[in-house]
Amino acid sequence: MRRRTVLATAILAAVATPGIARAADPGPSVSKKSTTQLDGQAVFFVSYDGLVNNNSFQKNGLLTYKGYQYAAWYTSTKNAVIARRVLGGSSWSTATLSHTLKSSDSHNVISMGVSKVDGRLHINMDSHSDGYFYVKSIAGLLDNPGSTSWTSSVFGSVQTSLDGLALTSQFTYPQFVSTPEGKLQLSYRVGISGNGRNALAEYDGSGWTALGEWSGSTGTYTSSHGSSTARNMYLHGIDYDVNGRLHSFFTWREQNAAVMCNSGGITNHDTGYVYSTDRGRTWRNDAGTVVGTTGSSDTVAVTDSGLVVDSLNPDHSLMNQESQGTDSSGLPHAIISYVPGRFGQCTTNYVSDRTANGRAFHLRKNSSGSWTKTEIPVALGSSQRTKLVLDKYDNAYAIFPYGRIAAASKSSGYTDWTLLYDGSDLNAFGEVVIDELRVKADNVLSFMYQEKSSGTTPSALHVVDFALPA
């Protein structure tokens, strides 16, 4: 026993003693494991330059929980389908909901969430500045998936409220997020593009409560070209970190095109950041000052100080709703994209200009409290969005349109961005939907993508898995 004690002490001393080498954390890598088909004939139509089954702002169109993976999409007949498989398995079980997509609008995505307090799966779908549709499963379904048959009977009836809570008649962008206590929150926009507010609702296992709006649409923003008095805040995401802090990056979109150099651009400007330490009840700027209280008249406004962490005027086709995440220390990271000034100071067509000259940037907060932005040396080749993933070692991965994957190591200070996978074998249309929860579950990068098609010809929908460093 004494020998074991001495050896253990020596090992601890070696780890704690400066100057003694230890194995370095691995850098980023991806190894393609498998591809499974969800649907050979998924609905296909291009709207707002995107697909309704693969808009990357879905949170979550694909998710992992307790050893199973869940996916949601619309079929060629516009039926809403929820599927599951054993994590890493080759076959999916499907359940068709009693709802069909009401319009050919790519905003009308399906988003899923998990209420850990009662093991239910929640689904919100088919809305763009109008009414939404909501379904929740039986209690315990996700806690004991292997003992419950996967049929439409495990879901309740389709509702046009949250169990009687209407919220708003102008609803868009549902994003579910689980709180550290296991409650479920729903983030959404009230109003329309260029004149809307962000709001939250919360489910505690017994029912839904509207927490209220937390961002405002009023105030005056003035660029070098003109002014606007209405706008909406577009979120890059909403995420709890390991310490229970709620983070959100955002851009503003102005209603008045007078703020732009050319009407063919897009009125998005600046990357902002706020956080909450009380589960979204109050919001603080980067310096820690409270700048908004949810459900009150004092909401986060474009005129509040300390919100902008990366300044950019409306002339560079900055993308909204890109991507964000937090690392193992709770530090926030984001992907943003726009047309850099070296390609000109005025975009005249945001789709073609972003496709020709757009670049993505990794924006992050350092442990010292300062912000760093690094250009990722991969041309967008698309007007669409890039997604961010951080692995267990805090290496960063950018999943570009068409399923291309670039990565940078934490050890380099995220300066060594390199393309790891070119996506050429996927034949993907554009944006992909990331399983944000699976990376933590089994070190696998898993995303859903749809094959290219033309017109309204249905095409195959897949999930592809990549092993990350173990």
Side-chain angles (χ1 to χ4, degrees):
M1 182 64 70
R2 173 177 171 76
R3 183 173 180 274
R4 290 181 180 176
T5 302
V6 171
L7 180 59
T9 302
I11 291 173
L12 287 171
V15 170
T17 302
I20 295 181
R22 55 173 290 177
D25 288 341
S29 64
V30 293
S31 175
K32 190 175 180 182
K33 290 164 56 74
S34 63
T35 302
T36 58
Q37 181 171 287
L38 292 169
D39 190 337
Q41 295 285 298
V43 69
F44 185 98
F45 57 85
V46 180
S47 161
Y48 295 92
D49 211 31
L51 303 181
V52 71
N53 284 330
N54 278 90
N55 257 320
S56 66
F57 54 74
Q58 290 173 252
K59 189 180 180 78
N60 300 280
L62 186 68
L63 66 82
T64 290
Y65 188 69
K66 291 193 174 182
Y68 276 71
Q69 189 174 41
Y70 301 84
W73 72 94
Y74 298 103
T75 68
S76 61
T77 55
K78 299 188 176 182
N79 291 104
V81 172
I82 312 297
R84 74 174 184 185
R85 65 170 172 170
V86 174
L87 201 59
S90 59
S91 62
W92 294 81
S93 299
T94 60
T96 302
L97 303 180
S98 58
H99 179 76
T100 56
L101 180 66
K102 66 188 180 188
S103 62
S104 296
D105 186 334
S106 65
H107 289 82
N108 294 32
V109 299
I110 305 175
S111 294
M112 299 183 290
V114 178
S115 54
K116 297 179 182 179
V117 290
D118 59 2
R120 293 183 194 268
L121 183 65
H122 300 251
I123 297 132
N124 191 296
M125 55 189 166
D126 204 1
S127 61
H128 184 197
S129 302
D130 55 10
Y132 60 86
F133 298 87
Y134 167 72
V135 178
K136 72 176 189 292
S137 76
I138 58 174
L141 175 66
L142 303 192
D143 293 330
N144 303 288
S147 61
T148 308
S149 297
W150 189 254
T151 66
S152 58
S153 64
V154 302
F155 296 96
S157 59
V158 177
Q159 309 175 46
T160 54
S161 68
L162 301 179
D163 294 332
L165 182 65
L167 297 180
T168 175
S169 60
Q170 292 184 310
F171 181 100
T172 317
Y173 303 126
Q175 295 190 72
F176 287 108
V177 59
S178 296
T179 72
E181 299 81 17
K183 297 178 182 179
L184 182 65
Q185 293 180 322
L186 174 62
S187 167
Y188 59 98
R189 187 186 73 192
V190 178
I192 62 174
S193 176
N195 192 6
R197 290 88 61 204
N198 290 315
L200 286 172
E202 186 173 85
Y203 176 82
D204 63 2
S206 60
W208 284 95
T209 302
L211 301 184
E213 298 175 8
W214 64 268
S215 74
S217 59
T218 59
T220 299
Y221 168 79
T222 302
S223 73
S224 60
H225 311 291
S227 297
S228 176
T229 57
R231 74 223 20 97
N232 71 277
M233 176 194 285
Y234 273 118
L235 302 184
H236 288 314
I238 186 164
D239 298 280
Y240 283 97
D241 67 19
V242 293
N243 304 309
R245 177 175 287 190
L246 185 60
H247 302 259
S248 193
F249 288 88
F250 62 88
T251 62
W252 295 107
R253 174 174 293 179
E254 298 300 322
Q255 185 180 59
N256 192 350
V259 299
M260 295 187 294
C261 61
N262 187 283
S263 60
I266 193 167
T267 60
N268 297 341
H269 63 90
D270 296 321
T271 298
Y273 168 75
V274 289
Y275 69 91
S276 174
T277 57
D278 55 7
R279 308 298 188 256
R281 270 63 175 180
T282 59
W283 296 90
R284 298 174 184 267
N285 65 14
D286 185 41
T289 303
V290 174
V291 289
T293 300
T294 302
S296 78
S297 59
D298 181 21
T299 52
V300 182
V302 73
T303 51
D304 286 333
S305 62
L307 299 180
V308 176
V309 294
D310 188 68
S311 179
L312 189 70
N313 67 35
D315 297 339
H316 294 273
S317 293
L318 175 68
M319 179 49 68
N320 51 282
Q321 298 164 286
E322 198 107 34
S323 189
Q324 68 170 49
T326 59
D327 63 25
S328 61
S329 299
L331 293 171
H333 297 241
I335 296 287
I336 63 173
S337 66
Y338 57 89
V339 178
R342 66 178 181 272
F343 296 108
Q345 297 299 327
C346 179
T347 56
T348 58
N349 182 306
Y350 83 90
V351 172
S352 61
D353 287 343
R354 283 178 55 84
T355 302
N357 296 314
R359 297 293 186 273
F361 297 81
H362 177 209
L363 178 64
R364 65 188 179 92
K365 190 171 187 177
N366 304 308
S367 57
S368 64
S370 61
W371 292 87
T372 299
K373 183 173 72 171
T374 304
E375 182 175 339
I376 303 174
V378 178
L380 290 183
S382 167
S383 67
Q384 297 179 288
R385 300 170 180 87
T386 298
K387 296 296 290 181
L388 172 68
V389 166
L390 297 164
D391 69 18
K392 64 186 291 186
Y393 303 105
D394 289 336
N395 299 310
Y397 300 77
I399 300 87
F400 284 83
Y402 316 120
R404 297 166 293 161
I405 304 171
S409 65
K410 178 183 179 181
S411 61
S412 73
Y414 305 101
T415 60
D416 58 354
W417 282 96
T418 304
L419 187 68
L420 300 182
Y421 173 72
D422 70 5
S424 59
D425 58 328
L426 300 182
N427 192 35
F429 169 81
E431 290 180 5
V432 300
V433 173
I434 302 292
D435 187 336
E436 298 176 2
L437 301 178
R438 188 167 180 189
V439 175
K440 294 179 180 179
D442 64 355
N443 296 319
V444 170
L445 169 60
S446 188
F447 63 78
M448 182 166 66
Y449 70 93
Q450 191 160 348
E451 291 187 20
K452 295 176 184 176
S453 188
S454 60
T456 57
T457 304
S459 66
L461 185 70
H462 306 276
V463 173
V464 60
D465 299 336
F466 296 85
L468 300 177

